[in-house]
């Protein structure tokens, strides 16, 4: 749990001491609407109100499943982190209880686990009444140090007392967190798995009494390491149901750097001897062989064309001045655009070559700034026309008169660049700009132009700052008003660098209009930057801010890749089969001057097979955007292993459009290990108790579709669907859920790539954050057989369990925010025919009724 370390999630200046909260106390919703608000999940756990993230302390005790969770008792954004608490007898219906372990003046309560100390090793309880013990990360507010601490309960988990001898484990680190503790019978001791998050390691400790801990070993770094490692879990499972063949599973969550790009959860299968975990998969990887086109080992760029200053005069042999350690390059040399720091820009372009292979493989690192086909690479002259504001004066005067302000965000006049405590602002012209970061994100206000006549085709302007759409409750947006109504709007992209935006005003000629700059947001990125507002006959195009590798064919970019905000180079691949025989060039581009504004590249190789990145090679619990901080229940009856996760992503967690609560948990999943093609794979299924929610069911007869989308006799905002689909000649096929009102969430299969995909780009509200609209992919070969789908649809989520005929499985979880009227289900096929051979769907009852 590391929100405090992320720049988008700022700690509150003052944190109140919270001692507890009644179940529904202080809820702004009325009794009639609570748990039935728009987007409120109806069979996934959510707190009645306020912010929630990681599930913590999962344990079964005396007939109840206890769910603790990271919780802000005081608001709907991250802060005041304490342990919330809920209980269930069936993993389906939940009762929220008062706050279990509250924050105080000294500490916030980060993630951890709960155990039953049945032998009273702590001496806190008695043999007849052993205590429940919570082991949590104590975040020290004064220093930022993360320590492991205890709290205990002797009344079954209702009231908790912090141990007077805290901390019980302290290595004086700000990146030491999320202990998972369990009893290890062979050594009659307690075991702890805890994350050294910035080192991409999991440390194992043992203890006789939960108070005194001895370090045993470390695991990692290996697997995916693109972000901080967090929330480990370690547990045994029988393979293929045989208790004589047991393997251990180590789950490691990381953010960012998941297979979907943001927060995610990977796992390792291996052996554990009480001291050390050894993974079956060593992580070793040999890329496909091929013809090396460029490895930069000559010590010069040879016939590659170098522009700008970013790439220096020749390849780098490691990190350059001011850069962190660089890893992952092959040989001695590689292309590195950090010469002069992130502020420098440039390109490195190969000579032309003939494409002869199916794939172009290469290594890439550096910043995450993707190629934009609408952007212009290189300098673009500012549009000419009637300047409505350039913000160069000390007050908000302009050629058309004075702009008026409300609130306190914009001050009495334009900013002269970057404001105090703000990240570096760039991209504005001259010396001044409108910047609503005055006194930070907490300030709000508006800035409105005088009325002007629309007499040119375009309105061009430079914009930066927060991405909070005009349609949201708390926008950071530039609006065009005609007759008092908003007819155009634009917002920033959560970057301080301003870039050109343009509105086509062809339909508004002769109209009287005003520009209104609105900052109504007090959270992260709750501000806006604006400059150089011009009525023009020329449409301004955004300037490229990419850091990436592009493949050019016939002078056009046909494929691109970007870094992952890491100084480690990893494999990437372009499919070049369609361009065989054509002339191509490779272009490495650094057009970004902001944070992570550089690119690393090496080892360009023409090959017959694609190279896989470490992220692609890792084993993922879930391929969706919204599965993080996954953890399992201790002491579940019958030895069952049940996992749940936070159904959100740190990329946009604070911006999802829900109130008075924010965030849900995934539906609980029962885990098992299955041998597939000689390898041990983790298998997940919704817990069987889901069946208790089934209402009316419907069976759909065999349906064949060709190049079309066909509605099915299924409707609902809360559904369970089981279906088998087979491609005949279709290149893509699958199901659409939550259809209607021009919306759909697509669960598909792409025969050309061999991937299941989950497309939420048209799922409903997607404009609240620039990273939300997305399509997720998961590899699953069908071998000409059927695709089996098990799908859970709720008011604001879709969970997809997909299997092939051999028993291989992938799971994808995404949040969606559709219109309540979008309740249809369709089957589709593209470029051919597909068959839906079996489908059974059930309406699911609300757990809140």
């Amino acid at each position: 749990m590391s929100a405090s370390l992320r720049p988008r999630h700022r700690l509150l200046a003052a944190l109140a001491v919270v001692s507890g909260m009644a179940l529904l106390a202080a809820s702004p919703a009325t009794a009639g609407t609570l748990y039935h608000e728009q987007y409120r999940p109806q069979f996934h756990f959510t707190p009645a109100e306020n912010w929630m993230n990681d599930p913590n302390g999962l344990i079964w005790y005396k007939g109840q499943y206890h769910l603790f969770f990271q919780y802000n008792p005081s608001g709907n954004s991250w802060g005041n982190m304490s342990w919330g608490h809920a209980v269930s007898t069936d993993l389906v219906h939940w009762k929220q209880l008062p706050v279990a372990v509250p924050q105080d003046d000294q500490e916030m309560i980060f993630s951890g686990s709960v155990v039953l100390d049945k032998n009273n090793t702590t001496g806190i309880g008695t043999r007849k009444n052993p205590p429940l013990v919570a082991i949590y990360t104590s975040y020290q507010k004064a220093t930022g140090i993360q320590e492991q601490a205890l709290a205990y309960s002797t009344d079954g988990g209702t009231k908790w007392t912090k141990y007077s001898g805290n901390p019980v484990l302290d290595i004086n680190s700000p990146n030491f967190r999320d202990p998972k503790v369990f009893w290890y019978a062979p050594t009659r001791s307690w075991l702890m798995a805890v994350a050294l998050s910035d080192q991409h390691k999991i440390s194992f400790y043992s203890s006789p009494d939960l108070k005194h801990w001895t370090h045993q070993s470390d695991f990692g770094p290996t697997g995916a390491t693109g972000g901080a490692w967090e929330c480990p879990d370690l547990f045994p499972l029988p393979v293929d149901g045989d208790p004589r063949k047991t393997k251990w599973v180590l789950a490691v969550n990381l953010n960012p750097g998941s297979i979907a790009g943001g927060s995610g959860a990977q796992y390792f299968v291996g052996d554990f001897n009480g001291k050390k975990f050894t993974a079956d998969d060593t992580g070793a990887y040999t890329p496909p062989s091929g013809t090396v086109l460029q490895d930069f080992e000559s010590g010069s760029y040879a016939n590659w064309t170098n522009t700008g200053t970013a790439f220096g005069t020749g390849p780098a042999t490691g990190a350059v001045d001011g850069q962190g350690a660089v890893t992952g390059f092959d040989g001695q040399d590689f292309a590195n655009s950090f010469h002069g720091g992130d502020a420098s820009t440039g390109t490195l372009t190969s000579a032309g070559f003939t494409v002869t292979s199916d794939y172009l493989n290469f290594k890439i690192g550096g910043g995450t700034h993707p190629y934009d086909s609408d952007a212009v690479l290189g300098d673009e002259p500012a549009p000419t026309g009637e300047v409505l504001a350039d913000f160069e004066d000390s007050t908000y005067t302009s050629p058309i008169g004075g702009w008026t302000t409300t609130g306190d965000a914009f001050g009495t006049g334009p900013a002269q660049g970057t404001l105090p405590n703000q990240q570096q602002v760039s991209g504005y012209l001259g010396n001044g700009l409108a910047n609503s970061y005055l006194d930070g994100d907490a300030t709000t206000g508006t800035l409105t132009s005088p009325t002007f006549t629309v007499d040119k085709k375009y309105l061009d302007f430079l914009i930066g700052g927060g991405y909070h759409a005009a349609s949201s409750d708390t926008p950071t947006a530039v609006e065009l008003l005609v007759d008092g109504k908003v007819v155009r709007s634009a917002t920033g992209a959560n970057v301080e660098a301003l870039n050109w935006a343009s509105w086509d005003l062809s339909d508004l000629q002769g109209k009287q209009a005003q520009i209104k700059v609105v900052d109504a947001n007090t959270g992260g990125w709750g501000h806006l930057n604006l400059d150089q507002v011009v009525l023009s006959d020329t449409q301004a195009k955004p300037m490229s801010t990419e850091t990436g590798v592009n493949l050019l064919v016939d002078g056009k970019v046909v494929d691109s890749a970007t870094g992952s905000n890491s100084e480690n180079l990893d494999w990437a691949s372009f499919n070049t089969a369609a361009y065989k025989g054509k002339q191509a060039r490779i272009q490495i581009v650094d057009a970004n001057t902001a944070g992570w504004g550089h690119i690393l590249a090496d080892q360009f190789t023409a090959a017959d097979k694609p190279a896989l990145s470490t992220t692609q090679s890792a084993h993922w619990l879930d391929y969706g955007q919204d599965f993080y901080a996954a953890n399992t229940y201790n002491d579940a009856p019958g030895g069952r292993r049940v996992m749940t996760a936070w159904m959100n992503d740190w990329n946009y967690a604070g911006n999802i459009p829900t109130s008075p609560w924010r965030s849900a948990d995934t539906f609980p999943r029962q885990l098992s290990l299955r041998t597939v093609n000689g390898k041990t794979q983790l298998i997940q299924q919704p817990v069987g108790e889901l069946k208790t929610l089934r209402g009316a069911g419907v069976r759909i007869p065999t349906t064949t579709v060709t190049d079309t989308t066909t509605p099915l006799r299924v409707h609902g905002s809360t559904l369970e669907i089981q279906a088998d689909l087979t491609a005949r000649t279709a290149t893509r096929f699958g199901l659409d859920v939550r259809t209607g009102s021009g919306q759909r969430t697509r669960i598909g299969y792409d025969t050309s790539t061999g991937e299941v995909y989950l497309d939420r780009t048209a799922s409903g509200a997607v404009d609240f954050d620039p990273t939300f609209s997305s399509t997720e992919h998961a590899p699953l070969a069908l071998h000409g057989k059927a695709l089996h789908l098990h799908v859970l649809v709720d008011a604001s989520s879709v969970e997809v369990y997909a299997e092939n005929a051999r028993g291989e499985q992938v799971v994808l979880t995404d949040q969606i925010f559709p219109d309540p009227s979008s309740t249809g289900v369709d089957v589709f096929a593209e470029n051919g025919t597909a068959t839906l051979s079996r489908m059974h769907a059930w309406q699911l009852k609300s757990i809140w009724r």
Side-chain angles (χ1 to χ4, degrees):
M1 192 291 167
S2 65
S4 65
L5 306 180
R6 300 181 177 91
R8 292 183 61 194
H9 303 273
R10 298 174 173 86
L11 293 179
L12 300 181
L15 298 166
V17 177
V18 180
S19 60
M21 186 190 78
L23 173 58
L24 302 181
S27 172
T30 65
T33 61
L34 189 63
Y35 290 112
H36 297 283
E37 307 89 345
Q38 185 176 12
Y39 306 137
R40 172 77 80 165
Q42 293 301 296
F43 62 94
H44 291 80
F45 174 74
T46 52
E49 61 176 351
N50 298 339
W51 171 274
M52 175 183 75
N53 54 285
D54 306 1
N56 301 148
L58 308 183
I59 190 170
W60 182 87
Y61 178 68
K62 290 188 176 180
Q64 287 187 320
Y65 292 92
H66 289 257
L67 167 66
F68 300 90
F69 48 90
Q70 290 286 279
Y71 187 59
N72 180 359
S74 304
N76 205 17
S77 59
W78 187 92
N80 308 302
M81 298 317 296
S82 305
W83 273 24
H85 189 192
V87 292
S88 172
T89 58
D90 61 2
L91 289 169
V92 176
H93 300 86
W94 294 93
K95 177 183 179 182
Q96 188 174 343
L97 300 177
V99 169
V101 187
Q103 63 125 30
D104 58 31
D105 287 339
Q106 284 74 45
E107 66 174 357
M108 284 198 287
I109 315 300
F110 281 8
S111 298
S113 50
V114 170
V115 296
L116 173 63
D117 184 17
K118 62 181 180 181
N119 295 322
N120 195 34
T121 62
T122 57
I124 290 173
T126 65
R127 286 273 184 166
K128 290 185 177 180
N129 185 31
L132 289 172
V133 179
I135 307 92
Y136 64 90
T137 295
S138 170
Y139 173 83
Q140 295 298 301
K141 295 178 181 179
T143 63
I145 296 298
Q146 297 177 3
E147 306 166 343
Q148 313 319 312
L150 301 186
Y152 58 89
S153 172
T154 56
D155 69 352
T158 301
K159 294 181 180 179
W160 292 82
T161 301
K162 294 178 182 178
Y163 175 52
S164 61
N166 283 336
V168 296
L169 181 57
D170 178 17
I171 63 171
N172 195 36
S173 170
N175 294 288
F176 181 55
R177 54 181 173 269
D178 310 335
K180 180 60 184 277
V181 175
F182 60 95
W183 177 255
Y184 187 70
T187 58
R188 297 189 58 79
S189 62
W190 296 103
L191 272 296
M192 175 194 293
V194 61
L196 296 169
S197 61
D198 60 334
Q199 298 180 45
H200 307 116
K201 291 181 179 180
I202 303 301
S203 284
F204 299 103
Y205 289 81
S206 66
S207 172
D209 58 6
L210 294 170
K211 301 174 184 177
H212 304 89
W213 293 91
T214 301
H215 180 257
Q216 300 295 330
S217 66
D218 292 334
F219 174 80
T222 187
T225 57
W229 277 21
E230 297 187 313
C231 302
D233 195 1
L234 179 67
F235 50 87
L237 282 175
V239 180
D240 301 322
D242 186 349
R244 296 170 299 177
K245 296 193 300 182
T246 295
K247 284 286 186 179
W248 286 77
V249 178
L250 176 63
V252 178
N253 296 264
L254 79 161
N255 175 71
S258 79
I259 189 66
S263 309
Q266 63 182 322
Y267 73 93
F268 305 87
V269 176
D271 298 307
F272 183 68
N273 62 7
K275 293 186 176 183
K276 182 179 181 180
F277 176 81
T278 304
D280 292 345
D281 184 348
T282 64
Y285 177 69
T286 301
S289 60
T291 302
V292 176
L293 304 180
Q294 176 63 276
D295 60 8
F296 301 109
E297 291 302 301
S298 69
S300 74
Y301 290 132
N303 61 349
W304 285 47
T305 303
N306 183 9
T307 69
T309 61
F311 292 94
T313 59
T317 57
V320 298
D321 290 347
Q323 187 175 25
V326 177
T327 58
F329 56 95
D330 286 0
Q332 300 296 318
D333 299 341
F334 62 100
N336 184 346
S337 76
F338 198 76
H339 291 84
D342 280 331
S344 60
T345 61
T347 63
L348 192 59
T349 308
S350 76
F353 64 94
T354 302
V355 178
T356 59
S357 62
D358 287 342
Y359 294 93
L360 176 66
N361 300 328
F362 54 96
K363 285 195 159 184
I364 188 171
T368 303
H369 304 287
Y371 167 76
D372 180 356
S373 60
D374 293 327
V376 176
L377 182 61
D379 294 332
E380 180 186 16
T384 58
E386 182 183 359
V387 177
L388 304 185
D390 60 9
F391 303 113
E392 290 300 298
D393 295 325
S394 60
T395 61
Y396 287 114
T397 58
S398 78
I400 60 170
W403 290 48
T404 58
T405 63
T406 66
D408 50 7
F410 292 94
T412 59
Q416 299 299 298
T418 306
L419 292 170
N421 299 316
Q422 187 176 23
Q423 297 176 41
Q424 184 67 39
V425 178
S426 61
Y428 57 96
L429 301 182
N431 298 312
L433 74 156
N435 182 347
S436 71
Y437 193 75
L438 188 65
D439 295 326
D441 280 330
T443 54
T444 60
T446 65
L447 176 65
T448 306
S449 78
T451 300
F452 60 93
T453 301
V454 177
D455 57 3
K456 289 183 171 54
K457 187 175 181 180
Y458 299 102
L459 183 68
D460 302 324
F461 50 94
L462 288 165
I463 187 172
Y467 186 102
H468 305 284
S471 59
S472 71
D473 293 334
T474 56
T476 53
V478 178
E479 301 173 346
L480 182 67
L481 280 63
V482 174
D483 297 329
K485 297 180 180 179
V486 178
V487 296
R488 302 283 192 279
S489 67
T491 189
N494 288 352
V495 294
E496 299 292 15
L498 285 77
N499 208 338
W500 287 108
S502 184
W503 292 326
D504 187 333
L505 308 182
S506 299
D507 60 328
L508 300 175
Q509 295 300 299
K511 296 282 189 180
Q512 296 293 293
Q514 286 180 290
I515 298 164
K516 186 175 184 179
V517 190
V518 180
D519 176 355
N521 196 290
T522 60
W525 285 106
H527 66 279
L528 201 71
N529 308 325
L530 180 72
D531 194 21
Q532 207 65 21
V533 184
V534 183
L535 272 174
S536 178
D537 291 323
T538 302
Q539 184 177 25
K541 292 187 176 182
M543 296 173 289
S544 173
T545 58
E546 66 184 293
T547 53
V549 173
N550 297 330
L551 178 65
L552 282 68
V553 176
D554 296 330
K556 296 181 180 179
V557 176
V558 297
D559 212 340
S560 65
T562 188
S564 58
N565 287 356
S566 170
E567 301 292 16
N568 179 65
L569 287 84
D570 203 352
W571 285 105
S573 184
F574 293 152
N575 187 329
T576 55
Y579 311 114
K580 282 184 176 179
K582 292 182 177 292
Q583 285 290 297
R585 294 177 186 269
I586 300 164
Q587 187 174 61
I588 310 172
V589 180
D590 176 355
N592 197 289
T593 61
W596 283 104
H598 64 280
I599 189 72
L600 316 172
D602 195 15
Q603 206 66 21
F604 289 90
T605 305
D608 293 330
K609 294 182 179 180
L612 300 179
S613 69
T614 303
T615 303
Q616 291 171 313
S617 302
H619 306 285
W620 295 98
L621 285 163
D622 198 292
Y623 285 80
Q625 292 276 10
D626 295 304
F627 188 88
Y628 192 61
N631 220 298
T632 63
Y633 281 86
N634 282 335
D635 302 339
R640 72 192 302 204
R641 184 60 59 172
V642 176
M643 174 175 279
T644 194
W646 181 46
M647 195 158 57
N648 214 333
D649 189 306
W650 281 114
N651 276 339
Y652 45 74
N655 294 330
I656 61 172
T658 63
S659 180
W661 84 103
R662 185 165 278 134
S663 290
D665 281 338
T666 60
F667 194 79
R669 304 174 179 183
Q670 186 144 338
L671 307 183
S672 61
L673 289 176
R674 177 188 297 167
T675 303
V676 183
N677 294 331
K679 296 182 179 179
T680 306
Q681 182 183 15
L682 188 69
I683 301 298
Q684 308 168 69
Q685 297 294 347
V687 295
E689 290 89 335
L690 175 68
K691 295 178 181 178
T692 64
L693 296 179
R694 288 178 178 173
V698 60
R699 292 186 183 273
I700 301 298
T702 298
T703 303
T704 299
V705 288
T706 303
D707 296 328
T708 191
T709 299
T710 299
L712 300 173
R713 193 167 44 90
V714 178
H715 290 273
S717 58
T718 56
L719 293 169
E720 179 187 6
I721 299 170
Q722 295 188 18
D724 289 337
L725 300 103
T726 306
R728 302 304 179 190
T729 58
T731 57
R732 289 190 171 204
F733 64 94
L735 299 175
D736 291 337
V737 298
R738 296 304 304 263
T739 66
S741 302
Q743 300 173 0
R744 62 155 173 80
T745 298
R746 173 153 288 188
I747 305 161
Y749 188 86
D750 188 327
T751 60
S752 65
T753 61
E755 293 177 323
V756 180
Y757 62 95
L758 181 55
D759 178 357
R760 64 179 179 187
T761 57
S763 60
V766 297
D767 63 352
F768 53 84
D769 189 277
T771 63
F772 185 80
S773 180
S774 63
T775 302
E776 281 62 71
H777 303 265
L780 185 69
L782 294 184
H783 310 289
K785 302 294 182 64
L787 170 69
H788 177 68
L789 295 176
H790 191 176
V791 181
L792 306 185
V793 180
D794 205 342
S796 54
S797 65
V798 175
E799 292 170 275
V800 179
Y801 301 79
E803 287 192 20
N804 64 16
R806 297 182 179 182
E808 292 172 292
Q809 184 197 61
V810 292
V811 186
L812 303 94
T813 300
D814 271 3
Q815 293 182 92
I816 57 172
F817 299 98
D819 188 274
S821 64
S822 302
T823 60
V825 178
D826 303 340
V827 60
F828 76 90
E830 296 178 357
N831 303 315
T833 299
T835 298
L836 173 67
S837 58
R838 184 187 69 87
M839 179 170 168
H840 200 173
W842 296 268
Q843 300 269 356
L844 294 180
K845 304 170 189 174
S846 172
I847 65 174
W848 307 121
R849 292 172 182 165

